Amino acid sequence: MTRKAQHEELARSLGAIGAVRRDMARILPPDCPGGSAGVLTLLGLHGDMRMSRPAEPLAVDMSVTSRHVAHVAGRGWIERLPDPADKRSRIPRLTPAGRARLDGLSERSTQLLADRLSDWSDDEVGLLVRQLTRLRESFGDGRPGGPRVTPTAPTAPVAETSTADETATEPTTPRTPA
Amino acid sequence: MTRKAQHEELARSLGAIGAVRRDMARILPPDCPGGSAGVLTLLGLHGDMRMSRPAEPLAVDMSVTSRHVAHVAGRGWIERLPDPADKRSRIPRLTPAGRARLDGLSERSTQLLADRLSDWSDDEVGLLVRQLTRLRESFGDGRPGGPRVTPTAPTAPVAETSTADETATEPTTPRTPA
DNA sequence: TATTGTTATACTCTATAACTATA
DNA sequence: TATAGTTATAGAGTATAACAATA
């Protein structure tokens, strides 16, 4: 019961975070919307990677990544190198212009956060980052076509057997994506 | 320096949370998308309120709320009562059907969270909720046209107009629904 | 036959602006 | 004149499906 109420509260909190994300998105330059910025960020972080890779941490379909990559490529911020190991693949790489763009974006978002979180301590920010990271990991396999309900969950079907008021009577009404 | 790196990390973490939000949105029934669910949730939480109210915590323009409210009203999940104090206002109120719908939605999201966060303790979930709530509050006045209450930072030169002409890299956009 | 990437299509969300009916 | 709400329009994000080239 308390557990369920907590989850309801969490769901609402997550919804409210949308406002934060929109606020972050608002400071982006018109020619570099969120999706493009995401691609640049990932390439800047992890270096060259094939198209399907950035789709992973973002948990989006590859077709989405493809569009974003095409957009930034059109701006000259990345180039798509051929993959010597697989001719079907193209490997996006940040260009100097792309790096400069990324630095600019980073500067913007950093300033916004510095302003909004001016009364947060370093430890508090660090804690939040860890929490968010863990949350993201807990949803790890949430990709579109990904396996739904823990097929062979390595993490204990054991449960606690104590206050299990899960009311687990039904297995999540299927969405029937047709 | 470390502070800035932390903010960069936080920005990325927030971006990654998008995956969680999408996962949550995916379990919604086709006739009740995220916006509609948000309206129902707020009305269920705070009771009757005028149109401009739900737009506040969501930090969206009233026109957005208006659309969502119209949608749920069309489904019979709310009714719009006249405001005796102000004839311009209409006050949305949850109907029994809307309450039932809301309960169903809550059940879904709760189950999803119970599944994904099965290895989180109550305290950990509670901490996350508090962190998210505080984060949301720190961005409090982030509404579209809202004034930046920032007493700090005359920084922000912004601008930086792009030199990229809008080459028609993005083809067809014949979306004319009227 | 399976996979990588691309493209077309459709749907949701959001902001801006114009419009009405009140205040 | 200013405000509450509505509606039309435009721009961004994403998923699905069909398709091309390669494995």
Side-chain angles (χ1 to χ4, degrees):
Chain A
M1 191 48 176
T2 298
R3 183 72 170 178
K4 179 172 180 182
Q6 243 187 344
H7 284 154
E8 287 177 348
E9 216 179 329
L10 177 54
R12 287 194 296 272
S13 300
L14 285 171
I17 289 305
V20 173
R21 288 169 51 82
R22 280 193 299 278
D23 214 17
M24 295 282 293
R26 245 185 289 273
I27 64 171
L28 294 174
D31 62 341
C32 185
S36 302
V39 167
L40 294 181
T41 300
L42 277 176
L43 288 178
L45 255 187
H46 302 118
D48 307 353
M49 48 173 67
R50 45 199 306 183
M51 298 296 304
S52 49
R53 272 304 187 296
E56 233 172 72
L58 268 49
V60 293
D61 192 86
M62 190 174 33
S63 66
V64 176
T65 301
S66 184
R67 271 188 81 77
H68 294 328
V69 166
H71 183 260
V72 293
R75 295 297 188 286
W77 298 329
I78 69 166
E79 52 188 345
R80 283 176 282 193
L81 310 174
D83 182 344
D86 187 338
K87 281 174 183 157
R88 294 172 303 179
S89 292
R90 291 207 281 173
I91 302 186
R93 164 176 298 177
L94 223 48
T95 63
R99 169 61 69 178
R101 197 64 183 180
L102 176 55
D103 290 343
L105 295 175
S106 180
E107 190 61 32
R108 289 193 190 206
S109 52
T110 291
Q111 281 187 5
L112 177 63
L113 286 174
D115 174 47
R116 295 294 197 276
L117 275 50
S118 58
D119 59 338
W120 287 56
S121 73
D122 284 6
D123 284 350
E124 289 169 331
V125 175
L127 175 58
L128 174 59
V129 169
R130 285 195 300 280
Q131 295 266 32
L132 291 179
T133 301
R134 187 184 171 196
L135 177 63
R136 173 64 187 85
E137 285 167 354
S138 291
F139 274 74
D141 60 337
R143 272 161 303 171
R148 254 296 89 13
V149 281
T150 55
T152 44
T155 49
V158 183
E160 310 295 28
T161 62
S162 48
T163 55
D165 53 86
E166 289 291 348
T167 66
T169 41
E170 309 185 42
T172 58
T173 311
R175 253 281 275 138
T176 59
Chain B
M1 189 48 177
T2 298
R3 183 74 170 177
K4 179 171 179 180
Q6 244 188 343
H7 285 155
E8 287 178 348
E9 216 179 330
L10 178 53
R12 287 194 296 271
S13 300
L14 285 171
I17 290 304
V20 173
R21 289 168 51 81
R22 281 194 297 278
D23 214 18
M24 296 282 293
R26 245 185 290 273
I27 63 171
L28 294 174
D31 63 342
C32 185
S36 303
V39 167
L40 293 181
T41 299
L42 276 177
L43 287 178
L45 256 187
H46 302 118
D48 307 354
M49 48 172 67
R50 45 200 304 184
M51 297 295 306
S52 49
R53 269 311 185 300
E56 233 173 71
L58 268 50
V60 293
D61 192 86
M62 191 176 26
S63 66
V64 175
T65 301
S66 182
R67 272 189 80 77
H68 294 328
V69 165
H71 183 260
V72 292
R75 295 296 188 288
W77 297 328
I78 69 166
E79 51 188 344
R80 283 175 282 193
L81 311 173
D83 183 344
D86 187 338
K87 282 174 182 155
R88 294 172 302 179
S89 291
R90 291 207 281 175
I91 303 186
R93 163 177 298 177
L94 224 47
T95 63
R99 169 61 68 178
R101 196 68 185 180
L102 176 55
D103 290 342
L105 296 175
S106 180
E107 189 62 31
R108 288 193 190 207
S109 53
T110 292
Q111 282 188 3
L112 177 63
L113 286 175
D115 174 47
R116 295 294 198 275
L117 275 50
S118 58
D119 60 338
W120 287 55
S121 73
D122 284 6
D123 283 351
E124 289 169 331
V125 175
L127 175 59
L128 175 58
V129 169
R130 286 196 299 280
Q131 296 265 40
L132 292 178
T133 302
R134 188 184 171 195
L135 176 63
R136 172 64 186 86
E137 285 166 353
S138 292
F139 274 74
D141 61 335
R143 272 163 302 171
R148 292 291 184 263
V149 187
T150 59
T152 52
T155 54
V158 189
E160 165 131 357
T161 57
S162 64
T163 53
D165 63 327
E166 295 297 332
T167 53
T169 38
E170 304 293 81
T172 56
T173 310
R175 268 283 295 164
T176 312

